[in-house]
Amino acid sequence: MKKMSIKLRITLYFTLILFLLSAVMMGYIIAISTASAENELEKTLESHVDDLYNKVYYKPTNAPSDSTPNGNQPPFPPNDGNKNPGSMRDPEQHKTYKLIVPTDYSFRDGDVALYIYEEGENATIYGQLFDGLYFDDDTAKNEVIVKQKTDKKEYLVYARFIKEGDKKESDGAWVVGAIDNDIVNTIVYDTLKYAIVALPVIILLAAVFGY
């Protein structure tokens, strides 16, 4: 059996090194593509929620019942010592508010589903999330992107809270957005598909010209 020539052996070693480098490069491409796709997806979700958040607000619907005609509070009540010191009544305790939502706003914009949940005894809902995805205001995190799974998919969910009035403790409304996290896998797959085709061709050409 004829031994391989030195030139052929060098070419094979060179090809093997290229193959190993290509495997490392493939892993690097997957990592970079995944991080980039996730970052882009989060930015898209945040921008849609922020846009709706900036268009929704609470509007006072009445003035305090004990206010003067111009809306100001009456003067301090008399101070009778330590039993009943005079104090200004909190006007916020007597105000009622109405949530103003744009009537022509699209709650489904591309891959993002938008939703408004107004707290209170008679909770009001605007928009709709994806099938199987539910919003729980008791466990919601303000301005934090979280992952939620349904039976079929995983979603990124981002919520921002709008406070009703200036009370320390009050109900309010949540502006919520969700986007399909599987979009990341689709983007990475498309990138990897082109890389798998291109890298072997590069290795083959390098081996041929190197020989």
Side-chain angles (χ1 to χ4, degrees):
M1 184 176 177
K2 189 176 179 179
K3 292 184 178 180
M4 288 188 299
S5 65
I6 295 176
K7 186 176 181 180
L8 180 58
R9 278 184 288 176
I10 292 174
T11 301
L12 290 176
Y13 290 147
F14 178 69
T15 304
L16 179 61
I17 292 173
L18 283 178
F19 178 80
L20 293 175
L21 288 175
S22 297
V24 173
M25 184 63 69
M26 195 76 71
Y28 182 76
I29 289 174
I30 293 173
I32 293 297
S33 298
T34 301
S36 177
E38 287 178 345
N39 185 56
E40 189 64 30
L41 211 63
E42 289 179 358
K43 285 183 177 180
T44 299
L45 177 60
E46 287 178 346
S47 66
H48 281 76
V49 172
D50 291 345
D51 180 68
L52 178 57
Y53 178 87
N54 292 328
K55 291 179 171 64
V56 176
Y57 61 95
Y58 274 101
K59 179 181 179 181
T61 57
N62 69 325
S65 58
D66 55 353
S67 63
T68 58
N70 63 359
N72 295 326
Q73 288 293 306
F76 287 97
N79 191 327
D80 57 357
N82 295 327
K83 294 182 179 180
N84 184 26
S87 62
M88 181 73 76
R89 293 183 181 178
D90 183 5
E92 286 297 328
Q93 299 298 326
H94 302 278
K95 284 185 180 179
T96 58
Y97 292 84
K98 179 181 179 182
L99 184 67
I100 305 300
V101 179
T103 56
D104 57 347
Y105 199 88
S106 175
F107 286 88
R108 182 64 63 88
D109 189 357
D111 297 315
V112 180
L114 296 168
Y115 173 90
I116 297 176
Y117 177 84
E118 185 178 9
E119 298 177 336
E121 294 181 2
N122 299 316
T124 307
I125 295 173
Y126 305 85
Q128 185 176 0
L129 295 178
F130 296 104
D131 292 340
L133 188 63
Y134 302 98
F135 175 74
D136 185 358
D137 61 316
D138 292 330
T139 59
K141 296 181 179 180
N142 188 32
E143 299 186 7
V144 176
I145 294 179
V146 297
K147 293 181 179 179
Q148 290 188 19
K149 290 184 178 180
T150 64
D151 293 337
K152 297 180 180 180
K153 292 187 176 184
E154 181 180 72
Y155 295 93
L156 295 181
V157 179
Y158 179 62
R160 296 189 66 180
F161 184 71
I162 304 173
K163 195 174 182 181
E164 180 184 349
D166 297 324
K167 303 175 187 177
K168 293 182 179 180
E169 294 183 2
S170 66
D171 293 327
W174 290 90
V175 178
V176 188
I179 192 169
D180 187 354
N181 198 36
D182 290 340
I183 294 176
V184 172
N185 297 331
T186 303
I187 296 174
V188 173
Y189 172 77
D190 290 340
T191 304
L192 193 59
K193 182 172 59 178
Y194 293 112
I196 289 174
V197 173
L199 287 177
V201 173
I202 294 173
I203 293 174
L204 180 61
L205 291 175
V208 171
F209 286 106
Y211 184 76

